[in-house]
Amino acid sequence: MFFGLIFLAATAAASVPAAQEPTADALQSDLQTAYSCQDIDGRKVWKGGLAYYIQSYVYDDGTPDDAGNMATDAVLPEDNSAETMQEFEQACLTMAPTASTSN
């Protein structure tokens, strides 16, 4: 009986489709249309439709690349804690673009 319950739970978990993460091409396109947010820990941040993006760390006494050639990391909700996502939401809250009200 105990084995049957474990098997049923494993089967149920396997039948639920996992959330599909965006492809690298989709993220690259999303980053190109993302808007700037407030920096987090001295690193530039952007918000796109699929993810938040943050400037990659610079190692080995390197200097950050110019804005046109800067390495970034995608920040996806399924890969990060609720606290991390809240920090990104706060950084982008006051910087969100506003809709045009012209008629």
Side-chain angles (χ1 to χ4, degrees):
M1 181 75 159
F2 184 72
F3 174 75
L5 291 176
I6 293 174
F7 178 75
L8 179 61
T11 304
S15 66
V16 176
Q20 187 165 349
E21 290 190 16
T23 64
D25 288 339
L27 290 171
Q28 181 63 41
S29 293
D30 187 46
L31 175 59
Q32 291 174 354
T33 60
Y35 65 86
S36 293
C37 301
Q38 294 178 350
D39 291 0
I40 295 177
D41 296 332
R43 296 165 64 193
K44 296 184 184 314
V45 174
W46 300 267
K47 183 178 189 318
L50 299 175
Y52 291 94
Y53 302 90
I54 189 164
Q55 178 183 11
S56 298
Y57 280 115
V58 177
Y59 297 102
D60 298 328
D61 296 327
T63 57
D65 293 333
D66 61 68
N69 196 24
M70 183 182 307
T72 60
D73 297 310
V75 180
L76 299 166
E78 53 271 9
D79 295 338
N80 292 280
S81 69
E83 293 82 19
T84 297
M85 296 313 299
Q86 184 175 15
E87 185 174 5
F88 279 87
E89 290 168 9
Q90 287 297 321
C92 295
L93 186 63
T94 60
M95 304 292 283
T98 56
S100 174
T101 57
S102 62
N103 290 331

Coordinates of all heavy atoms in Angstrom, one line a residue:
M1 N 0.8 -1.2 0.0 CA 0.0 0.0 0.0 C 0.9 1.3 0.0 O 0.6 2.2 -0.7 CB -0.9 0.0 1.2 CG -1.8 1.1 1.3 SD -3.2 1.0 0.2 CE -4.4 2.0 0.8
F2 N 1.9 1.3 0.8 CA 2.8 2.5 0.9 C 3.5 2.7 -0.4 O 3.5 3.8 -0.9 CB 3.8 2.2 2.0 CG 4.7 3.4 2.3 CD1 4.2 4.6 2.9 CD2 6.0 3.4 1.8 CE1 5.0 5.7 3.1 CE2 6.8 4.5 2.0 CZ 6.3 5.6 2.6
F3 N 3.9 1.7 -1.1 CA 4.6 1.8 -2.4 C 3.6 2.4 -3.4 O 4.0 3.2 -4.2 CB 5.1 0.4 -2.9 CG 5.7 0.5 -4.3 CD1 6.9 1.1 -4.5 CD2 4.9 0.0 -5.3 CE1 7.4 1.1 -5.8 CE2 5.4 0.1 -6.6 CZ 6.7 0.6 -6.9
G4 N 2.4 2.0 -3.4 CA 1.4 2.5 -4.3 C 1.1 4.0 -4.1 O 1.0 4.7 -5.1
L5 N 1.2 4.5 -2.9 CA 1.0 5.9 -2.7 C 2.2 6.7 -3.2 O 2.0 7.8 -3.8 CB 0.8 6.2 -1.2 CG -0.5 5.7 -0.6 CD1 -0.5 6.0 0.9 CD2 -1.7 6.4 -1.2
I6 N 3.4 6.2 -3.1 CA 4.6 6.9 -3.6 C 4.5 6.9 -5.1 O 4.7 7.9 -5.7 CB 5.8 6.2 -3.1 CG1 6.0 6.4 -1.6 CG2 7.1 6.8 -3.8 CD1 7.1 5.7 -1.0
F7 N 4.1 5.8 -5.7 CA 4.1 5.7 -7.2 C 3.0 6.7 -7.7 O 3.2 7.4 -8.7 CB 3.7 4.3 -7.6 CG 3.6 4.1 -9.1 CD1 4.7 4.2 -9.9 CD2 2.4 4.0 -9.7 CE1 4.6 4.1 -11.3 CE2 2.2 3.9 -11.0 CZ 3.4 3.9 -11.8
L8 N 1.9 6.8 -7.0 CA 0.8 7.7 -7.5 C 1.2 9.1 -7.3 O 1.0 9.9 -8.3 CB -0.5 7.4 -6.6 CG -1.7 8.3 -6.9 CD1 -2.1 8.1 -8.3 CD2 -2.8 8.0 -6.0
A9 N 1.9 9.5 -6.3 CA 2.4 10.8 -6.1 C 3.4 11.2 -7.2 O 3.4 12.3 -7.8 CB 3.0 11.0 -4.7
A10 N 4.3 10.2 -7.5 CA 5.3 10.5 -8.5 C 4.7 10.6 -9.9 O 5.1 11.4 -10.7 CB 6.3 9.3 -8.5
T11 N 3.7 9.8 -10.2 CA 3.0 9.9 -11.4 C 2.2 11.2 -11.6 O 2.2 11.8 -12.6 CB 2.0 8.7 -11.6 OG1 2.7 7.5 -11.4 CG2 1.3 8.7 -12.9
A12 N 1.6 11.6 -10.5 CA 0.8 12.9 -10.5 C 1.8 14.1 -10.8 O 1.5 15.0 -11.5 CB 0.0 13.1 -9.2
A13 N 2.9 14.0 -10.1 CA 3.9 15.1 -10.3 C 4.5 15.1 -11.7 O 4.7 16.2 -12.2 CB 5.0 15.0 -9.2
A14 N 4.7 14.0 -12.2 CA 5.2 13.9 -13.6 C 4.2 14.3 -14.6 O 4.6 14.8 -15.7 CB 5.7 12.5 -13.9
S15 N 2.9 14.2 -14.4 CA 2.0 14.6 -15.4 C 1.7 16.1 -15.4 O 1.0 16.5 -16.4 CB 0.7 13.8 -15.1 OG 0.1 14.2 -13.9
V16 N 2.1 16.8 -14.4 CA 1.9 18.3 -14.4 C 3.0 18.9 -15.3 O 4.2 18.7 -15.0 CB 2.0 18.8 -13.0 CG1 1.8 20.4 -13.0 CG2 0.9 18.2 -12.1
P17 N 2.6 19.6 -16.3 CA 3.7 20.2 -17.2 C 4.4 21.3 -16.4 O 3.9 22.1 -15.7 CB 2.9 20.8 -18.3 CG 1.5 21.0 -17.9 CD 1.3 19.9 -16.8
A18 N 5.8 21.2 -16.6 CA 6.6 22.3 -15.9 C 6.5 23.6 -16.7 O 6.3 23.6 -17.9 CB 8.0 21.8 -15.9
A19 N 6.6 24.7 -16.0 CA 6.6 26.0 -16.6 C 7.8 26.0 -17.6 O 8.9 25.8 -17.2 CB 6.7 27.1 -15.6
Q20 N 7.5 26.4 -18.8 CA 8.6 26.4 -19.8 C 9.3 27.8 -19.7 O 8.7 28.8 -19.8 CB 8.0 26.2 -21.2 CG 9.1 26.1 -22.2 CD 8.6 25.5 -23.5 OE1 7.4 25.0 -23.6 NE2 9.4 25.5 -24.5
E21 N 10.6 27.7 -19.6 CA 11.4 29.0 -19.5 C 11.6 29.5 -20.9 O 11.6 28.8 -21.9 CB 12.7 28.7 -18.9 CG 12.6 28.4 -17.4 CD 14.0 28.3 -16.7 OE1 15.0 28.8 -17.3 OE2 14.0 27.8 -15.6
P22 N 11.7 30.8 -21.0 CA 11.9 31.4 -22.3 C 13.2 31.0 -22.9 O 14.2 30.7 -22.2 CB 11.9 32.9 -22.1 CG 11.4 33.1 -20.7 CD 11.6 31.8 -20.0
T23 N 13.3 31.0 -24.2 CA 14.5 30.6 -24.9 C 15.5 31.8 -24.8 O 15.1 33.0 -24.5 CB 14.3 30.3 -26.4 OG1 13.8 31.5 -27.0 CG2 13.3 29.2 -26.6
A24 N 16.8 31.6 -25.1 CA 17.8 32.6 -25.1 C 17.4 33.7 -26.2 O 17.6 34.9 -25.9 CB 19.1 32.0 -25.4
D25 N 16.9 33.3 -27.3 CA 16.5 34.3 -28.3 C 15.4 35.1 -27.9 O 15.4 36.4 -28.1 CB 16.1 33.6 -29.6 CG 17.3 33.0 -30.4 OD1 18.5 33.4 -30.1 OD2 17.1 32.1 -31.2
A26 N 14.4 34.5 -27.2 CA 13.3 35.3 -26.7 C 13.7 36.3 -25.6 O 13.3 37.5 -25.6 CB 12.2 34.4 -26.1
L27 N 14.6 35.9 -24.7 CA 15.2 36.7 -23.7 C 16.0 37.9 -24.3 O 15.9 39.0 -23.9 CB 16.0 36.0 -22.7 CG 15.2 35.0 -21.8 CD1 16.2 34.1 -21.0 CD2 14.3 35.8 -20.8
Q28 N 16.8 37.6 -25.3 CA 17.6 38.6 -26.0 C 16.6 39.7 -26.6 O 16.9 40.9 -26.5 CB 18.5 38.0 -27.1 CG 19.3 39.0 -27.8 CD 20.3 39.7 -26.8 OE1 20.9 39.1 -26.0 NE2 20.5 41.0 -27.0
S29 N 15.6 39.3 -27.3 CA 14.6 40.2 -27.9 C 13.9 41.0 -26.8 O 13.7 42.2 -26.9 CB 13.6 39.5 -28.7 OG 14.2 38.9 -29.8
D30 N 13.6 40.4 -25.7 CA 12.9 41.0 -24.6 C 13.8 42.1 -23.9 O 13.4 43.2 -23.6 CB 12.5 40.0 -23.5 CG 11.7 40.6 -22.4 OD1 10.7 41.3 -22.7 OD2 12.0 40.2 -21.2
L31 N 15.1 41.8 -23.8 CA 16.1 42.7 -23.2 C 16.2 44.0 -24.1 O 16.3 45.1 -23.6 CB 17.4 42.1 -23.0 CG 18.6 42.9 -22.5 CD1 18.2 43.6 -21.2 CD2 19.9 42.2 -22.5
Q32 N 16.1 43.8 -25.4 CA 16.2 45.0 -26.3 C 15.1 46.0 -26.1 O 15.3 47.1 -26.5 CB 16.3 44.5 -27.7 CG 17.6 43.7 -28.0 CD 17.7 43.1 -29.4 OE1 16.8 43.1 -30.1 NE2 18.9 42.6 -29.7
T33 N 14.0 45.5 -25.6 CA 12.8 46.4 -25.4 C 12.6 46.7 -23.9 O 11.6 47.4 -23.6 CB 11.6 45.8 -26.0 OG1 11.3 44.6 -25.4 CG2 11.7 45.6 -27.5
A34 N 13.4 46.2 -23.0 CA 13.3 46.4 -21.6 C 13.6 47.9 -21.2 O 14.3 48.6 -21.9 CB 14.2 45.5 -20.8
Y35 N 12.9 48.4 -20.1 CA 13.2 49.7 -19.7 C 14.1 49.7 -18.5 O 14.1 48.7 -17.7 CB 11.9 50.5 -19.4 CG 11.0 50.0 -18.3 CD1 11.3 50.4 -17.0 CD2 10.0 49.1 -18.6 CE1 10.5 49.9 -15.9 CE2 9.2 48.6 -17.5 CZ 9.4 49.0 -16.2 OH 8.6 48.6 -15.2
S36 N 14.8 50.8 -18.3 CA 15.8 50.9 -17.2 C 15.1 51.1 -15.8 O 14.1 51.7 -15.8 CB 16.7 52.1 -17.4 OG 17.5 51.9 -18.5
C37 N 15.7 50.5 -14.8 CA 15.2 50.6 -13.4 C 16.3 51.2 -12.6 O 17.4 51.5 -13.1 CB 14.8 49.3 -12.9 SG 13.5 48.4 -13.9
Q38 N 16.0 51.4 -11.3 CA 17.1 51.8 -10.4 C 18.1 50.7 -10.2 O 17.7 49.5 -10.3 CB 16.4 52.1 -9.0 CG 15.5 53.3 -9.0 CD 14.9 53.6 -7.7 OE1 15.0 52.8 -6.7 NE2 14.2 54.7 -7.6
D39 N 19.3 51.1 -10.0 CA 20.4 50.1 -9.8 C 20.2 49.3 -8.5 O 19.6 49.8 -7.6 CB 21.8 50.8 -9.7 CG 22.2 51.4 -11.0 OD1 21.5 51.3 -12.0 OD2 23.3 52.0 -11.0
I40 N 20.6 48.1 -8.5 CA 20.7 47.3 -7.3 C 22.1 46.9 -7.0 O 22.8 46.3 -7.8 CB 19.8 46.0 -7.5 CG1 18.4 46.3 -7.7 CG2 20.0 45.0 -6.3 CD1 17.5 45.1 -8.0
D41 N 22.6 47.3 -5.8 CA 24.0 47.1 -5.4 C 25.0 47.6 -6.5 O 26.0 46.9 -6.8 CB 24.2 45.6 -5.1 CG 23.4 45.1 -3.9 OD1 23.1 45.9 -3.1 OD2 23.1 43.9 -3.9
G42 N 24.7 48.7 -7.1 CA 25.6 49.3 -8.1 C 25.6 48.6 -9.4 O 26.4 49.0 -10.3
R43 N 24.6 47.7 -9.7 CA 24.5 47.1 -10.9 C 23.2 47.6 -11.6 O 22.2 47.7 -11.0 CB 24.4 45.6 -10.7 CG 25.7 45.0 -10.1 CD 25.5 43.6 -9.6 NE 25.2 42.6 -10.6 CZ 24.8 41.4 -10.3 NH1 24.6 41.0 -9.1 NH2 24.5 40.6 -11.3
K44 N 23.3 47.8 -12.9 CA 22.2 48.3 -13.7 C 21.1 47.2 -13.8 O 21.4 46.0 -13.8 CB 22.6 48.7 -15.1 CG 23.6 49.9 -15.1 CD 23.9 50.3 -16.5 CE 25.0 51.4 -16.5 NZ 24.8 52.5 -15.6
V45 N 19.8 47.6 -13.8 CA 18.7 46.7 -13.8 C 17.7 47.2 -14.9 O 17.5 48.4 -15.1 CB 18.0 46.7 -12.5 CG1 16.7 45.9 -12.5 CG2 19.0 46.2 -11.4
W46 N 17.1 46.2 -15.6 CA 16.1 46.5 -16.6 C 14.9 45.6 -16.3 O 15.1 44.5 -15.8 CB 16.6 46.3 -18.0 CG 17.7 47.1 -18.4 CD1 17.7 48.3 -19.0 CD2 19.1 46.8 -18.2 NE1 19.0 48.8 -19.2 CE2 19.9 47.9 -18.7 CE3 19.8 45.8 -17.5 CZ2 21.3 47.9 -18.6 CZ3 21.2 45.8 -17.5 CH2 21.9 46.8 -18.0
K47 N 13.7 46.0 -16.8 CA 12.5 45.2 -16.7 C 12.0 45.0 -18.1 O 11.7 45.9 -18.8 CB 11.4 45.8 -15.9 CG 10.2 44.9 -15.7 CD 9.2 45.5 -14.8 CE 8.0 44.6 -14.4 NZ 7.5 43.7 -15.4
G48 N 11.8 43.7 -18.5 CA 11.2 43.4 -19.8 C 9.9 42.7 -19.6 O 9.4 42.6 -18.4
G49 N 9.3 42.2 -20.6 CA 8.0 41.5 -20.5 C 8.2 40.1 -20.0 O 7.2 39.6 -19.4
L50 N 9.3 39.5 -20.2 CA 9.5 38.1 -19.8 C 10.3 38.0 -18.5 O 10.2 37.0 -17.8 CB 10.3 37.4 -20.9 CG 9.6 37.2 -22.3 CD1 10.6 36.6 -23.3 CD2 8.3 36.5 -22.1
A51 N 11.2 38.9 -18.2 CA 12.1 38.8 -17.1 C 12.6 40.2 -16.7 O 12.4 41.2 -17.4 CB 13.3 37.9 -17.5
Y52 N 13.3 40.2 -15.5 CA 14.1 41.3 -15.1 C 15.5 41.0 -15.6 O 15.9 39.8 -15.8 CB 14.1 41.5 -13.6 CG 12.8 41.9 -13.1 CD1 11.9 41.0 -12.6 CD2 12.5 43.3 -13.0 CE1 10.6 41.4 -12.1 CE2 11.3 43.7 -12.5 CZ 10.4 42.8 -12.0 OH 9.2 43.2 -11.5
Y53 N 16.3 42.0 -15.8 CA 17.7 41.8 -16.2 C 18.6 42.6 -15.3 O 18.3 43.7 -14.9 CB 17.9 42.2 -17.7 CG 17.0 41.4 -18.6 CD1 15.7 41.9 -18.9 CD2 17.4 40.2 -19.1 CE1 14.9 41.2 -19.7 CE2 16.5 39.4 -19.9 CZ 15.2 40.0 -20.2 OH 14.4 39.2 -21.0
I54 N 19.8 42.0 -15.0 CA 20.8 42.8 -14.2 C 22.1 42.7 -14.8 O 22.5 41.6 -15.4 CB 20.7 42.2 -12.7 CG1 21.6 43.1 -11.8 CG2 21.2 40.8 -12.6 CD1 21.3 42.9 -10.3
Q55 N 22.9 43.7 -14.7 CA 24.3 43.8 -15.2 C 25.1 42.7 -14.5 O 25.0 42.5 -13.3 CB 24.9 45.1 -14.9 CG 26.3 45.3 -15.3 CD 26.8 46.7 -14.9 OE1 26.2 47.4 -14.1 NE2 28.0 47.0 -15.4
S56 N 25.8 41.9 -15.3 CA 26.6 40.8 -14.7 C 27.7 41.4 -13.9 O 28.2 42.5 -14.1 CB 27.2 40.0 -15.9 OG 26.2 39.4 -16.6
Y57 N 28.2 40.6 -12.9 CA 29.3 41.0 -12.1 C 30.6 41.0 -13.0 O 30.7 40.3 -14.0 CB 29.6 40.0 -11.0 CG 28.7 40.1 -9.8 CD1 27.8 39.1 -9.5 CD2 28.8 41.2 -9.0 CE1 27.0 39.3 -8.3 CE2 28.0 41.4 -7.9 CZ 27.1 40.4 -7.6 OH 26.3 40.5 -6.4
V58 N 31.5 41.9 -12.6 CA 32.8 42.0 -13.3 C 33.8 41.4 -12.4 O 33.9 41.7 -11.2 CB 33.1 43.5 -13.6 CG1 34.5 43.6 -14.3 CG2 32.0 44.1 -14.5
Y59 N 34.6 40.5 -12.9 CA 35.6 39.8 -12.1 C 37.0 40.1 -12.6 O 37.2 40.7 -13.6 CB 35.4 38.3 -12.3 CG 34.1 37.8 -11.7 CD1 33.1 37.5 -12.6 CD2 33.9 37.6 -10.4 CE1 31.8 37.0 -12.1 CE2 32.7 37.2 -9.9 CZ 31.7 36.9 -10.8 OH 30.4 36.5 -10.3
D60 N 38.0 39.8 -11.8 CA 39.4 39.9 -12.1 C 39.8 41.4 -12.4 O 40.5 41.7 -13.4 CB 39.8 39.0 -13.3 CG 39.6 37.6 -13.0 OD1 39.8 37.2 -11.9 OD2 39.3 36.8 -14.0
D61 N 39.3 42.3 -11.5 CA 39.7 43.7 -11.7 C 39.3 44.3 -13.0 O 39.9 45.2 -13.5 CB 41.2 43.9 -11.4 CG 41.5 43.6 -10.0 OD1 40.7 43.8 -9.1 OD2 42.7 43.1 -9.7
G62 N 38.3 43.7 -13.7 CA 37.8 44.2 -14.9 C 37.0 45.4 -14.7 O 36.6 45.7 -13.6
T63 N 36.7 46.1 -15.8 CA 35.8 47.2 -15.7 C 34.5 46.9 -16.5 O 34.6 46.1 -17.4 CB 36.5 48.5 -16.3 OG1 36.8 48.2 -17.7 CG2 37.7 48.9 -15.6
P64 N 33.4 47.5 -16.1 CA 32.2 47.2 -16.8 C 32.3 47.6 -18.3 O 32.9 48.6 -18.6 CB 31.1 48.0 -16.1 CG 31.8 48.4 -14.8 CD 33.2 48.4 -15.0
D65 N 31.7 46.8 -19.1 CA 31.7 47.2 -20.5 C 30.8 48.4 -20.8 O 30.0 48.7 -19.9 CB 31.1 46.0 -21.3 CG 32.0 44.8 -21.3 OD1 33.2 44.9 -21.2 OD2 31.5 43.7 -21.5
D66 N 31.0 49.0 -21.9 CA 30.1 50.1 -22.2 C 28.7 49.6 -22.3 O 28.4 48.4 -22.5 CB 30.5 50.8 -23.5 CG 30.5 49.9 -24.7 OD1 29.4 49.5 -25.1 OD2 31.6 49.6 -25.2
A67 N 27.7 50.5 -22.3 CA 26.3 50.2 -22.2 C 25.9 49.3 -23.4 O 25.0 48.5 -23.3 CB 25.4 51.4 -22.1
G68 N 26.5 49.5 -24.6 CA 26.1 48.8 -25.8 C 26.6 47.4 -25.8 O 26.2 46.6 -26.6
N69 N 27.6 47.0 -24.9 CA 28.2 45.7 -25.0 C 28.3 45.1 -23.6 O 29.2 44.4 -23.3 CB 29.6 45.8 -25.6 CG 30.2 44.5 -26.0 OD1 29.4 43.6 -26.3 ND2 31.5 44.4 -26.1
M70 N 27.3 45.4 -22.7 CA 27.3 45.0 -21.3 C 26.7 43.6 -21.2 O 25.7 43.3 -21.8 CB 26.5 46.0 -20.5 CG 26.5 45.7 -19.0 SD 25.5 46.9 -18.2 CE 26.1 48.4 -18.7
A71 N 27.4 42.8 -20.4 CA 26.8 41.4 -20.2 C 25.7 41.5 -19.1 O 25.9 42.3 -18.1 CB 27.9 40.5 -19.7
T72 N 24.7 40.8 -19.3 CA 23.5 40.8 -18.3 C 23.1 39.4 -18.0 O 23.4 38.5 -18.7 CB 22.3 41.6 -18.9 OG1 21.9 40.9 -20.1 CG2 22.6 43.0 -19.2
D73 N 22.4 39.3 -16.9 CA 21.8 38.0 -16.5 C 20.3 38.2 -16.4 O 19.8 39.2 -15.9 CB 22.3 37.6 -15.1 CG 23.8 37.4 -15.1 OD1 24.3 36.7 -15.9 OD2 24.5 38.0 -14.2
A74 N 19.6 37.2 -16.9 CA 18.1 37.3 -16.8 C 17.7 36.8 -15.4 O 18.3 35.9 -14.8 CB 17.5 36.3 -17.8
V75 N 16.7 37.5 -14.8 CA 16.3 37.1 -13.5 C 14.8 36.6 -13.6 O 13.9 37.4 -13.9 CB 16.3 38.3 -12.5 CG1 15.8 37.9 -11.1 CG2 17.8 38.8 -12.4
L76 N 14.6 35.3 -13.5 CA 13.3 34.7 -13.7 C 12.7 34.3 -12.4 O 13.4 33.8 -11.5 CB 13.4 33.5 -14.6 CG 13.9 33.8 -16.0 CD1 14.3 32.5 -16.7 CD2 12.9 34.5 -16.9
P77 N 11.4 34.5 -12.2 CA 10.7 34.2 -10.9 C 10.9 32.8 -10.5 O 11.1 32.5 -9.3 CB 9.2 34.5 -11.2 CG 9.2 35.5 -12.3 CD 10.4 35.1 -13.2
E78 N 10.9 31.8 -11.5 CA 11.0 30.4 -11.1 C 12.4 30.0 -10.6 O 12.6 29.0 -10.1 CB 10.5 29.5 -12.2 CG 11.2 29.8 -13.6 CD 10.4 30.8 -14.4 OE1 9.5 31.5 -14.0 OE2 10.9 31.0 -15.6
D79 N 13.4 30.9 -10.9 CA 14.7 30.6 -10.5 C 15.2 31.4 -9.2 O 16.3 31.3 -8.8 CB 15.7 31.0 -11.6 CG 15.5 30.1 -12.8 OD1 15.0 29.0 -12.7 OD2 15.9 30.5 -13.9
N80 N 14.3 32.2 -8.7 CA 14.7 33.1 -7.6 C 13.7 33.1 -6.5 O 12.5 32.8 -6.7 CB 14.9 34.5 -8.1 CG 16.1 34.6 -9.0 OD1 17.2 34.7 -8.6 ND2 15.9 34.6 -10.3
S81 N 14.1 33.5 -5.3 CA 13.2 33.6 -4.1 C 12.2 34.8 -4.3 O 12.4 35.7 -5.0 CB 14.0 33.8 -2.9 OG 14.6 35.1 -2.8
A82 N 11.2 34.7 -3.5 CA 10.2 35.8 -3.5 C 10.8 37.1 -3.1 O 10.5 38.2 -3.6 CB 9.0 35.4 -2.6
E83 N 11.8 37.0 -2.1 CA 12.4 38.2 -1.6 C 13.3 38.9 -2.8 O 13.3 40.1 -2.9 CB 13.3 37.9 -0.4 CG 12.6 37.5 0.8 CD 12.2 36.0 0.8 OE1 12.8 35.2 0.0 OE2 11.3 35.6 1.5
T84 N 13.9 38.0 -3.5 CA 14.7 38.6 -4.6 C 13.8 39.2 -5.7 O 14.1 40.4 -6.1 CB 15.5 37.4 -5.3 OG1 16.5 36.9 -4.4 CG2 16.3 37.9 -6.6
M85 N 12.7 38.6 -6.0 CA 11.8 39.2 -7.0 C 11.2 40.5 -6.5 O 11.0 41.4 -7.2 CB 10.7 38.2 -7.4 CG 11.3 36.9 -8.0 SD 12.5 37.2 -9.4 CE 11.5 38.2 -10.5
Q86 N 10.9 40.6 -5.2 CA 10.4 41.8 -4.6 C 11.4 42.9 -4.7 O 11.0 44.1 -5.0 CB 10.0 41.6 -3.2 CG 9.3 42.8 -2.6 CD 8.8 42.5 -1.2 OE1 9.2 41.5 -0.5 NE2 8.0 43.4 -0.7
E87 N 12.7 42.6 -4.6 CA 13.7 43.6 -4.7 C 13.7 44.2 -6.1 O 13.8 45.4 -6.3 CB 15.1 43.0 -4.3 CG 16.2 44.1 -4.3 CD 17.5 43.5 -3.8 OE1 17.6 42.3 -3.6 OE2 18.5 44.3 -3.7
F88 N 13.6 43.3 -7.1 CA 13.5 43.8 -8.5 C 12.3 44.6 -8.8 O 12.3 45.6 -9.5 CB 13.7 42.6 -9.5 CG 15.1 42.2 -9.6 CD1 15.7 41.3 -8.8 CD2 15.9 42.7 -10.7 CE1 17.0 40.9 -8.9 CE2 17.2 42.4 -10.8 CZ 17.8 41.4 -9.9
E89 N 11.1 44.1 -8.3 CA 9.9 44.9 -8.4 C 10.0 46.3 -7.9 O 9.6 47.2 -8.5 CB 8.7 44.1 -7.8 CG 8.4 42.8 -8.5 CD 7.4 41.9 -7.7 OE1 6.9 42.4 -6.6 OE2 7.2 40.8 -8.1
Q90 N 10.6 46.4 -6.7 CA 10.7 47.7 -6.1 C 11.7 48.6 -6.9 O 11.4 49.8 -7.0 CB 11.3 47.6 -4.6 CG 10.2 47.0 -3.7 CD 9.1 48.0 -3.5 OE1 9.2 49.2 -3.5 NE2 7.9 47.4 -3.4
A91 N 12.7 48.0 -7.4 CA 13.7 48.8 -8.2 C 13.1 49.4 -9.5 O 13.4 50.4 -9.9 CB 14.9 48.0 -8.6
C92 N 12.1 48.6 -10.0 CA 11.5 49.1 -11.3 C 10.1 49.8 -11.1 O 9.6 50.4 -12.0 CB 11.2 47.8 -12.1 SG 12.8 47.1 -12.7
L93 N 9.6 49.8 -9.9 CA 8.3 50.4 -9.6 C 8.2 51.8 -10.0 O 7.3 52.3 -10.7 CB 7.9 50.2 -8.1 CG 6.5 50.6 -7.7 CD1 5.5 49.8 -8.5 CD2 6.4 50.4 -6.2
T94 N 9.2 52.6 -9.5 CA 9.1 54.1 -9.7 C 9.7 54.4 -11.1 O 9.5 55.6 -11.5 CB 10.0 54.8 -8.7 OG1 11.3 54.4 -8.7 CG2 9.4 54.6 -7.3
M95 N 10.3 53.5 -11.8 CA 10.9 53.8 -13.1 C 10.0 53.3 -14.3 O 10.4 53.5 -15.4 CB 12.2 53.2 -13.2 CG 13.2 53.5 -12.1 SD 13.7 55.2 -12.1 CE 14.9 55.2 -13.5
A96 N 8.9 52.8 -14.0 CA 8.0 52.2 -15.1 C 7.6 53.3 -16.0 O 7.2 54.4 -15.6 CB 6.8 51.5 -14.4
P97 N 7.6 53.0 -17.3 CA 7.2 53.9 -18.3 C 5.7 54.2 -18.2 O 5.0 53.3 -17.8 CB 7.6 53.3 -19.7 CG 7.7 51.9 -19.4 CD 8.1 51.7 -17.9
T98 N 5.3 55.4 -18.5 CA 3.8 55.7 -18.4 C 3.3 55.7 -19.8 O 3.9 56.0 -20.8 CB 3.6 57.0 -17.7 OG1 4.3 58.0 -18.5 CG2 4.1 57.0 -16.3
A99 N 2.0 55.3 -19.9 CA 1.3 55.3 -21.2 C 1.1 56.8 -21.6 O 0.8 57.7 -20.8 CB 0.0 54.6 -21.1
S100 N 1.1 57.0 -22.9 CA 0.9 58.3 -23.4 C -0.6 58.7 -23.2 O -1.5 57.9 -23.5 CB 1.2 58.4 -24.9 OG 0.9 59.6 -25.5
T101 N -0.9 59.9 -22.8 CA -2.3 60.3 -22.6 C -2.7 61.3 -23.7 O -3.8 61.9 -23.6 CB -2.4 61.0 -21.2 OG1 -1.5 62.1 -21.1 CG2 -2.2 60.0 -20.1
S102 N -1.9 61.4 -24.7 CA -2.3 62.3 -25.8 C -3.5 61.8 -26.6 O -3.6 60.6 -26.8 CB -1.1 62.7 -26.7 OG -0.7 61.5 -27.3
N103 N -4.4 62.6 -27.0 CA -5.5 62.2 -27.8 C -5.4 62.6 -29.2 O -5.3 63.5 -29.7 CB -6.8 62.7 -27.2 CG -7.1 62.0 -25.9 OD1 -6.7 60.9 -25.7 ND2 -7.8 62.7 -25.0

